Every structure is written in structure tokens, then in C-alpha cells.
Amino acid sequence: RKEVEQDPGPFNVPEGATVAFNCTYSNSASQSFFWYRQDCRKEPKLLMSVYSSGNEDGRFTAQLNRASQYISLLIRDSKLSDSATYLCVVNKNGNKLVFGAGTILRVKS
Amino acid sequence: GAVVSQHPSWVICKSGTSVKIECRSLDFQATTMFWYRQFPKQSLMLMATSNEGSKATYEQGVEKDKFLINHASLTLSTLTVTSAHPEDSSFYICSARDGGPGNTIYFGEGSWLTVV
């Protein structure tokens, strides 16, 4: 079983739609959680950290359920520029990041 | 602008030759840097943790004699792919932790290696 699992998609949505991605992780001792965005042939860029209480940054909302070892990302009012691969990332220990394979989002006009 | 710089961005080399990739932290000192590899449509896989002034720590399955890592200063780590083969063709990317208050991890822009 992979340490971090994501639905690869692709999710094809129209502009303005709301879309949600899910992620599960296997190591219950994982300490911190993130969503990164990766554009084609580019490096990953931090989108947001994920906190137990849930957190929001503009159109993006992240949720963490430690009991279920489940992380989610909700994107509201999708823009064309949101098209990318979204990586669920878990900090296993220290600063070792474990990446999911990513979920592809395509927003179309 | 980028706070972690990688060079080269693209490299094509012949099979059997060695290639060096540099990773520099531009605005901060990084005692620890990380090297990842990403094959097409796959996740980033951690290859090794590069520690300034000491030997790198390699992940299971990564050949330390093939992927030489040197972290000679607080702002520079290098990855050398020795005797490269076509199966080593991949996207190699480094990251560095800013030990400041934010404790943020920054990624380099990545290096595309093609071995022909």
C-alpha cells in the first residue's frame, strides 16, 4: 500500500465549479500535512498547510481527519488557472516529505 | 523569485557519462537539503537527505555509489549521476529547509535529465 494515496483523476470541471480532492495516508504517526500544486514540468509549490481544525485560504479549504487518516482539499469557483496537478504531502518525520502521486485538475471554459 | 536554484534545468548526456546537478539556497543557509526524482505521471520519490558536512542519508533502494551527493557548504548541495543510463532519465528536484521562524521547505526548479 502506498504511504499517501490520491485519486489520479483527471477531474474535468467547468469554470466556476466546486471540486474536492481526497487523500489518505497510512502512517498514523505523520506529523504535518500539506497540499502542493505542480504545473506541467515544473517544481511543486506549496498551496497550503492542513491543520486539524481545518483551514481556508481564499477559494481553497483544507480539512484533516486524523482518526480516519484522511485529508481533503476543496476548491470553490474554479478558475482556468487552477488547472494543475494537486499533490497531497505528508511529513513523516523531521522534514521528510512523502508525496502522493497527485490528482489532475482541468478547468475548462 | 526563487529561493532555491537548481542548475542545469535541462541536460542531455550520453549513456555512460556522469552528470552533476547543483542545488543552491539563495537567501538562507540550509543545513539539510533533499533530493527527489520524479518519473512521468508518478509522485516525487525521495532519494536522499543531504546533510552539510556529513554523508548523505539514502532511501532504501537508492544506490549511493551511483547517485553521489555532496553538501560542502550551507548553501550548496550537488547530485552527481554517475555512469548514467537511459533509465536514469527523469526529473530531479531538490528542496531545502529554511531554518528560520517559518521553517518552510522550498523546492528548486528541477532538472530534466535525458540520457541517450
Side-chain angles (χ1 to χ4, degrees):
Chain A
R1 183 187 170 190
K2 293 180 182 177
E3 289 191 69
V4 179
E5 298 215 49
Q6 292 181 251
D7 179 346
F11 285 63
N12 296 301
V13 302
E15 277 187 286
T18 296
V19 61
F21 305 138
N22 302 321
C23 165
T24 57
Y25 61 96
S26 61
N27 190 335
S28 60
S30 298
Q31 299 168 352
S32 48
F33 311 88
F34 310 90
W35 283 101
Y36 276 74
R37 170 195 170 129
Q38 186 175 26
D39 291 288
C40 188
R41 305 177 84 84
K42 298 283 188 181
E43 79 277 19
K45 294 187 178 177
L46 180 65
L47 182 64
M48 59 196 304
S49 301
V50 187
Y51 303 114
S52 297
S53 55
N55 49 298
E56 187 175 304
D57 183 0
R59 298 181 293 110
F60 300 86
T61 301
Q63 297 276 356
L64 167 64
N65 184 323
R66 284 188 184 269
S68 302
Q69 295 179 203
Y70 170 95
I71 306 161
S72 66
L73 176 68
L74 182 76
I75 304 176
R76 289 180 298 278
D77 189 23
S78 299
K79 312 290 184 190
L80 293 175
S81 56
D82 293 334
S83 297
T85 298
Y86 289 83
L87 306 174
C88 177
V89 184
V90 172
N91 186 332
K92 196 164 64 170
N93 54 44
N95 285 296
K96 277 190 174 182
L97 300 181
V98 180
F99 286 78
T103 298
I104 297 170
L105 172 65
R106 297 181 185 143
V107 181
K108 303 191 175 181
S109 57
Chain B
V3 295
V4 175
S5 175
Q6 260 184 263
H7 177 81
S9 300
W10 301 84
V11 58
I12 299 174
C13 71
K14 290 185 177 180
S15 187
T17 62
S18 296
V19 174
K20 181 185 285 187
I21 301 170
E22 295 185 348
C23 178
R24 294 181 185 272
S25 56
L26 302 180
D27 301 321
F28 61 95
Q29 293 183 331
T31 53
T32 304
M33 291 184 174
F34 303 88
W35 286 97
Y36 295 85
R37 178 168 55 182
Q38 185 178 31
F39 292 108
K41 299 186 180 181
Q42 295 187 25
S43 58
L44 276 75
M45 296 299 296
L46 180 64
M47 298 175 67
T49 303
S50 171
N51 304 298
E52 187 268 335
S54 65
K55 291 182 179 180
T57 304
Y58 289 82
E59 295 299 302
Q60 191 173 10
V62 178
E63 299 174 60
K64 60 181 181 182
D65 294 329
K66 180 170 180 63
F67 299 99
L68 302 179
I69 292 173
N70 184 283
H71 194 152
S73 77
L74 287 171
T75 59
L76 173 65
S77 175
T78 61
L79 168 67
T80 301
V81 182
T82 63
S83 186
H85 291 284
E87 57 265 32
D88 297 324
S89 299
S90 185
F91 185 50
Y92 290 86
I93 188 164
C94 71
S95 68
R97 182 174 67 90
D98 176 358
N103 207 26
T104 303
I105 293 178
Y106 297 97
F107 282 86
E109 305 99 322
S111 301
W112 285 96
L113 170 63
T114 301
V115 184
V116 298

